[in-house]
Amino acid sequence: SLFPSEGETEPHVWMDRIPQLRKWYGDRKENNVGLRSYTLANIPFEGTIGLDKFKVEDNSIGSFDNAVRQLAEQAKKWPDAMLFNASSADPTAISGLLAGGASTASVTYDGQPFFSTAHPQNPDNPASATQSNYSSTGMALTHANFSAVRAIMRNYKGADGFPLKVNPNLLVVPPALETTAVNILESEWVAPTAAFGGVAASAPSQNALRGTADYLVVDDLAGQDTTWYLMDVKSVLKPFIFQLRTPAQFVSLTKPTDPNMFNQHKLLYGVDARGNAGFSAYFLAYSATA
């Protein structure tokens, strides 16, 4: 979700339970609503290209024009990169949240990485039951596994023990799993290779999972070909935050009197922006892989 920012850092707060209605006897009963929060600092980002003035003048204006357009295109994709980019050893590269969501660098409000098998239902209770939103192996994208993860998410409970009423409605996959996602969510008929529910192995049956979620194929997830994600993105609270402090701004240094032009006959085009991306509530997203 987009969160406008007006300072160097921003606090993000959400409830860890949903207060239930009760019969009204006597005075109202005030619920002690548990709030969870963390602070997300804004980070500056930039992109710059340099073009030789003489080469531009001589012939290749069209090619260089495309280079400037591509810089603008990358600025437009910046929010997506914050979520979907692969991990990188380059400290200046954008590493997406999904790629590092299970690492110790992604510890969230409950002391666990965002994707974890041991999220405490109530972080304030050392004896709390745990909940998982992560399967690191043995969970290939199939009808049965999609249904199993969907059931896990719908069974999540808040700190007070009541259901959080999570409704997983978006399946996110790499290009390698696009056909599988279409078969699970759009095919009218299926013939599972293994028994599934009341359906025998390889027996044609109507697809009970058809329309239970939308799907999103993300090119940036190429290479993570067996990993998929199920999310609830239609609730008021979203699983991920894109915090925008300063939208992308373009600057060009192309005047004959600009130092780069005067000294190096170089045209400079740059874009800069400021913001960050972060995790919200773990129970709104699940990561699984084969």
Side-chain angles (χ1 to χ4, degrees):
S1 62
L2 175 62
F3 187 92
S5 174
E6 298 181 354
E8 183 177 0
T9 62
E10 295 291 342
H12 296 272
V13 182
W14 58 90
M15 295 188 296
D16 65 357
R17 67 199 73 183
I18 301 175
Q20 304 288 311
L21 294 183
R22 58 183 285 272
K23 291 181 179 180
W24 194 341
Y25 289 108
D27 293 340
R28 290 178 178 269
K29 179 181 178 182
E30 180 180 339
N31 288 287
N32 182 19
V33 177
L35 296 179
R36 305 298 174 184
S37 67
Y38 81 110
T39 300
L40 192 61
N42 289 307
I43 300 173
F45 294 83
E46 66 88 17
T48 308
I49 58 174
L51 306 175
D52 187 284
K53 170 190 174 183
F54 301 140
K55 291 184 178 180
V56 172
E57 289 177 343
D58 287 344
N59 194 3
S60 304
I61 293 178
S63 298
F64 291 132
D65 182 61
N66 286 338
V68 177
R69 291 177 183 272
Q70 287 177 327
L71 178 62
E73 187 176 60
Q74 290 304 311
K76 185 178 180 180
K77 293 179 178 178
W78 170 49
D80 290 338
M82 300 284 281
L83 180 59
F84 298 120
N85 265 16
S87 296
S88 173
D90 181 356
T92 66
I94 298 176
S95 293
L97 294 178
L98 292 184
S103 72
T104 54
S106 300
V107 171
T108 58
Y109 70 94
D110 62 1
Q112 295 294 318
F114 182 77
F115 292 123
S116 170
T117 59
H119 287 288
Q121 182 177 307
N122 183 356
D124 298 324
N125 179 4
S128 173
T130 59
Q131 303 180 133
S132 173
N133 70 335
Y134 183 48
S135 294
S136 61
T137 186
M139 191 64 81
L141 181 57
T142 64
H143 283 76
N145 287 341
F146 173 85
S147 181
V149 169
R150 188 167 180 268
I152 289 171
M153 295 183 70
R154 297 191 71 175
N155 282 327
Y156 286 146
K157 292 181 172 61
D160 57 2
F162 287 101
L164 287 167
K165 301 180 180 178
V166 174
N167 180 25
N169 46 54
L170 180 66
L171 174 62
V172 179
V173 298
L177 293 178
E178 178 176 10
T179 300
T180 306
V182 172
N183 286 337
I184 291 173
L185 296 175
E186 292 191 353
S187 294
E188 185 174 354
W189 294 88
V190 294
T193 56
F196 175 54
V199 181
S202 302
S205 175
Q206 284 193 314
N207 181 11
L209 297 175
R210 184 183 185 192
T212 54
D214 298 321
Y215 70 89
L216 175 66
V217 182
V218 180
D219 292 340
D220 289 323
L221 296 178
Q224 304 174 54
D225 294 342
T226 62
T227 301
W228 51 284
Y229 306 88
L230 189 57
M231 307 178 186
D232 181 347
V233 297
K234 295 184 180 179
S235 299
V236 174
L237 184 65
K238 302 297 187 291
F240 305 100
I241 299 163
F242 175 62
Q243 180 173 292
L244 181 62
R245 179 67 179 94
T246 307
Q249 303 180 65
F250 288 86
V251 177
S252 60
L253 297 177
T254 58
K255 296 178 181 179
T257 54
D258 287 332
N260 51 288
M261 286 285 284
F262 184 80
N263 293 317
Q264 302 171 320
H265 53 84
K266 183 177 291 184
L267 302 157
L268 290 179
Y269 297 88
V271 59
D272 63 89
R274 195 166 162 228
N276 205 345
F279 300 105
S280 179
Y282 76 85
F283 49 78
L284 297 175
Y286 196 107
S287 172
T289 192

